[in-house]
Amino acid sequence: MRDNLRVSTERTIPSPSSGQRGHAFFDAMPAGCVALMRSAGRVRRYRDGTVVMQRGQAVPAVMVLLSGRIRVLINSTNGEVRLFRWLEAGEVVGVASALAQLPFQNDLEASGPCEALWIPTADFVAALYRDAAAGVAVARMLSVRVAELFDHIVAQSQGTLTDRLRAVLTNLGATNGERLSDGSLRLRITQTDLANAVGASRQRVNEALRGLQASGEVRLGYRCIETRLMPTHQVRT
């Protein structure tokens, strides 16, 4: 895992009875498989800005994010690194690379302090062989990731900046949005991050966002955006 692991700490994962919150990936898995993964995994902590994983890296483990957020970055065709989404607590990453024995396809960077459970590939696969329901749960998760990827491709193909903003905000709403009581979604995102995600300057993005605010599609706040652009995927509550 390169140099970043030297600035992290490791410990065994606490048992579910320790008061730790439930995590979405584990919630979808059979209890016996979860117990195997927990016992086999190791927890690593990362500081803000730490590179957790790099594109092209061979990763002998699957990672479940236990707390904090991780930026998922992609390389555009012109060599720019753009924000794709955030990995939220409870999500898993590296499954496709582990199962297909392929290099990892994204860069992951800690967005604030976070900790993650690393499950060796052999133990992860052994848990899947143990229970067919675990394999179905993983297949469903990977299917959602494929849908997200196609949504991203569609968003980046939009002809105008305003349309790209609408599409990117809709996609981020699906993966990182928090549902509010009035039905809108709150995204914890800066305009700088959003400009990076759509491949435009912050000034142009600010102008386009003010236009969307004037039309009632978004509300701008401090380091957050509330949007009524509704995603098709499930949203966190």
Side-chain angles (χ1 to χ4, degrees):
M1 299 302 298
R2 303 176 78 108
D3 292 344
N4 56 294
L5 294 191
R6 290 203 290 267
V7 298
S8 63
T9 60
E10 294 190 9
R11 60 180 174 82
T12 55
I13 187 168
S15 65
S17 62
S18 66
Q20 188 178 17
R21 293 187 305 166
H23 302 297
F25 176 70
F26 287 145
D27 290 347
M29 299 291 287
C33 295
V34 172
L36 286 175
M37 293 180 187
R38 286 180 178 274
S39 63
R42 298 289 294 179
V43 173
R44 291 171 177 155
R45 294 174 176 172
Y46 301 94
R47 296 195 293 262
D48 180 35
T50 300
V51 176
V52 178
M53 199 180 298
Q54 290 183 311
R55 183 176 185 271
Q57 191 172 344
V59 183
V62 170
M63 188 192 82
V64 179
L65 184 62
L66 300 179
S67 65
R69 302 174 96 198
I70 288 179
R71 294 161 60 90
V72 182
L73 307 171
I74 61 173
N75 292 278
S76 65
T77 54
N78 61 3
E80 294 180 352
V81 177
R82 293 187 183 177
L83 173 68
F84 175 47
R85 55 167 291 194
W86 281 272
L87 197 69
E88 301 283 357
E91 293 194 274
V92 63
V93 71
V95 174
S97 297
L99 295 180
Q101 297 182 343
L102 294 172
F104 196 69
Q105 295 300 307
N106 304 104
D107 293 325
L108 301 184
E109 180 183 282
S111 182
C114 59
E115 63 178 9
L117 175 68
W118 289 90
I119 307 164
T121 297
D123 296 290
F124 182 81
V125 173
L128 298 187
Y129 272 116
R130 179 186 178 93
D131 195 322
V136 172
V138 168
R140 287 174 175 165
M141 180 274 296
L142 291 175
S143 297
V144 171
R145 293 286 172 83
V146 171
E148 289 176 7
L149 179 59
F150 278 110
D151 286 344
H152 173 76
I153 293 171
V154 170
Q156 296 303 317
S157 68
Q158 298 300 310
T160 69
L161 175 58
T162 297
D163 286 341
R164 287 205 306 278
L165 279 172
R166 285 193 180 102
V168 168
L169 287 171
T170 300
N171 295 345
L172 289 174
T175 56
N176 301 111
E178 176 187 358
R179 182 79 69 182
L180 301 179
S181 59
D182 65 356
S184 62
L185 299 174
R186 176 185 292 134
L187 286 168
R188 290 189 293 143
I189 187 171
T190 66
Q191 291 189 26
T192 298
D193 278 336
L194 186 56
N196 175 265
V198 299
S201 69
R202 187 184 182 283
Q203 180 179 358
R204 290 186 60 212
V205 166
N206 180 264
E207 292 171 357
L209 283 173
R210 292 192 180 280
L212 291 176
Q213 182 170 247
S215 65
E217 296 174 78
V218 303
R219 288 194 299 268
L220 305 180
Y222 176 69
R223 302 180 71 86
C224 72
I225 297 174
E226 294 179 12
T227 174
R228 293 188 174 277
L229 300 166
M230 291 296 104
T232 56
H233 306 318
Q234 185 176 5
V235 178
R236 298 180 303 117
T237 56

